[in-house]
Amino acid sequence: MRNRHRSGFVLAEFAIALPLLILLGLGLANVSVKIFQLGRDQLADYVLEDEARHVMERIVHQARAAKEISVTPVTADIDQIKIVFRAADDDPSNQILNVAEVLETQYFTPHMQDGVCVNLNAKRQDWGALTNPITGENSFGDTKINRLKYHRLGGNVLHVVLEMESLVTARTFRLATAVFMPGCDSFTIYGGT
């Protein structure tokens, strides 16, 4: 008779504990999903900021050595820029490297799809496929460019405005800078002022 009371007691414990275990499991699953989403969003925002800084650093680095700048509007908020820059030291006082001026060309070309700039490509020629994206197409958090504008300030100063948006979190990140280009001989904006 003692075994019957014991088995009944275990069944009652199990009937009370099972719903509690299910609720605990659901709560842990919900917390795990929220932690995953938070981590994904933080990583997407980091990718957004990192890509924007990388693009700005590349443009600034090459603009500082620019001999010629050409800006072509693609949309009202997106420009393409062509930078012809000095690739070798042409300073005659440099005893190690005394060569003639060597120029290279770099295009920063936006890739537009359905009116949206999905990424920015760095190219050496104005023709050919866009195969070298320096933004977007990132598996950790895709981005798009909302604004990329170049303006000439007084003298040889290039003003660059870049705004990017995370397609995961819909947050935006905006950078603006002015670059002094001491050796820039030509600055042209096509289709604008």
Side-chain angles (χ1 to χ4, degrees), residues 17-177:
L18 184 61
L20 291 176
L21 286 173
I22 290 172
L23 285 175
L24 182 63
L26 289 174
L28 287 173
N30 190 27
V31 168
S32 297
V33 167
K34 293 292 184 188
I35 288 172
F36 174 78
Q37 290 172 341
L38 179 64
R40 182 200 63 199
D41 290 352
Q42 286 178 339
L43 187 57
D45 288 342
Y46 171 78
V47 166
L48 171 69
E49 291 178 21
D50 187 57
E51 282 187 359
R53 285 188 178 111
H54 175 71
V55 167
M56 190 64 81
E57 285 173 8
R58 284 192 66 171
I59 293 169
V60 166
H61 177 74
Q62 291 181 348
R64 281 189 180 132
K67 183 171 176 63
E68 299 173 21
I69 296 278
S70 300
V71 176
T72 307
V74 176
T75 69
D77 291 323
I78 307 288
D79 291 341
Q80 173 180 309
I81 191 168
K82 171 188 171 186
I83 303 173
V84 178
F85 61 97
R86 291 171 178 86
D89 187 359
D90 62 339
D91 183 5
S93 66
N94 187 344
Q95 299 301 318
I96 297 171
L97 181 63
N98 192 1
V99 296
E101 186 173 51
V102 177
L103 299 176
E104 289 195 27
T105 303
Q106 180 74 64
Y107 291 86
F108 290 99
T109 305
H111 180 207
M112 306 296 289
Q113 284 182 343
D114 300 324
V116 174
C117 184
V118 293
N119 57 38
L120 186 68
N121 287 266
K123 296 174 44 174
R124 298 285 180 189
Q125 297 91 16
D126 191 22
W127 48 270
L130 299 174
T131 58
N132 189 17
I134 57 175
T135 67
E137 300 182 13
N138 189 316
S139 60
F140 294 113
D142 211 4
T143 60
K144 71 175 184 169
I145 296 175
N146 292 338
R147 184 171 173 82
L148 179 59
K149 294 299 282 180
Y150 307 96
H151 303 283
R152 183 178 191 169
L153 298 178
N156 284 353
V157 178
L158 175 68
H159 184 248
V160 183
V161 176
L162 171 66
E163 181 182 291
M164 294 181 67
E165 180 179 341
S166 171
L167 297 178
V168 175
T169 64
R171 291 190 181 111
T172 59
F173 187 73
R174 184 175 181 163
L175 291 172
T177 191

Side-chain angles (χ1 to χ4, degrees), residues 181-192:
M181 305 171 298
C184 187
D185 301 331
S186 172
F187 194 113
T188 309
I189 299 179
Y190 296 101

